[in-house]
Amino acid sequence: MSMIECFFSNKYADRSDLFEGLSIWKEKSSNGEYKYRKLQGIFPVIFLSFANVKATSYEEMIFKISRVITDLYNENDYLLEGNLLNEKEREYYHNIKLGMDANLVTDAIRSMAGFMRRQYGQKVIILLDEYDTPMQNA
């Protein structure tokens, strides 16, 4: 999953060296052009791992998921700079915190993807690792 993140993420736009020599970098289309090189490093990517979300109750699961989402928002707090977010969106952003209401938890990833799409003018790739773990354990 982390290699997929590195390949697509605009955070690694200048790191094509990571893929030189790999099959994906060598793959050519029928017209002789490199098939996937133009996709490397152009997308905003949200990568969340729920591997550490182990809970014995629904409430504990929501709390631990809120931690993962709060970390996501903290990592992307540069979105608060400038005029990207309106006043209501800024208020929403500041309400994303540890122990937030379950309704906020369910919408937070979609909202972050929307903020990032506007920031970068590009569709957002969302990678969820161990997405089924919380539901199995709680």
Side-chain angles (χ1 to χ4, degrees), residues 71-119:
D71 289 346
L72 169 68
Y73 273 70
N74 289 338
E75 291 167 14
N76 291 287
D77 63 0
Y78 64 88
L79 294 170
L80 292 167
E81 299 168 8
N83 296 320
L84 178 73
L85 305 180
N86 65 38
E87 186 178 323
K88 289 180 182 178
E89 289 169 328
R90 286 178 183 280
E91 183 180 337
Y92 175 88
Y93 201 106
H94 289 295
N95 284 323
I96 303 298
K97 55 189 168 197
L98 202 54
M100 70 186 107
D101 181 80
N103 291 324
L104 281 174
V105 171
T106 60
D107 188 57
I109 298 171
R110 183 196 61 78
S111 294
M112 177 56 74
F115 299 153
M116 291 175 84
R117 182 189 49 74
R118 286 193 347 237
Q119 172 73 19

Side-chain angles (χ1 to χ4, degrees), residues 26-73:
K26 297 175 188 176
E27 184 78 23
K28 290 188 177 183
S29 62
S30 59
N31 64 2
E33 291 183 18
Y34 289 104
K35 208 171 183 178
Y36 301 110
R37 289 186 183 189
K38 62 184 174 230
L39 298 175
Q40 194 275 316
I42 66 168
F43 295 96
V45 174
I46 296 173
F47 178 34
L48 300 173
S49 175
F50 295 104
N52 293 324
V53 177
K54 309 273 192 259
T56 57
S57 69
Y58 176 78
E59 292 77 19
E60 184 183 6
M61 178 192 66
I62 292 296
F63 181 82
K64 289 185 175 184
I65 291 173
S66 78
R67 178 178 293 144
V68 172
I69 292 171
T70 299
D71 289 346
L72 169 68
Y73 273 70

Side-chain angles (χ1 to χ4, degrees), residues 4-19:
I4 293 171
E5 176 190 20
C6 288
F7 185 81
F8 288 113
S9 177
N10 55 11
K11 292 177 187 174
Y12 297 91
D14 298 323
R15 295 301 314 270
S16 62
D17 60 302
L18 297 171
F19 304 98

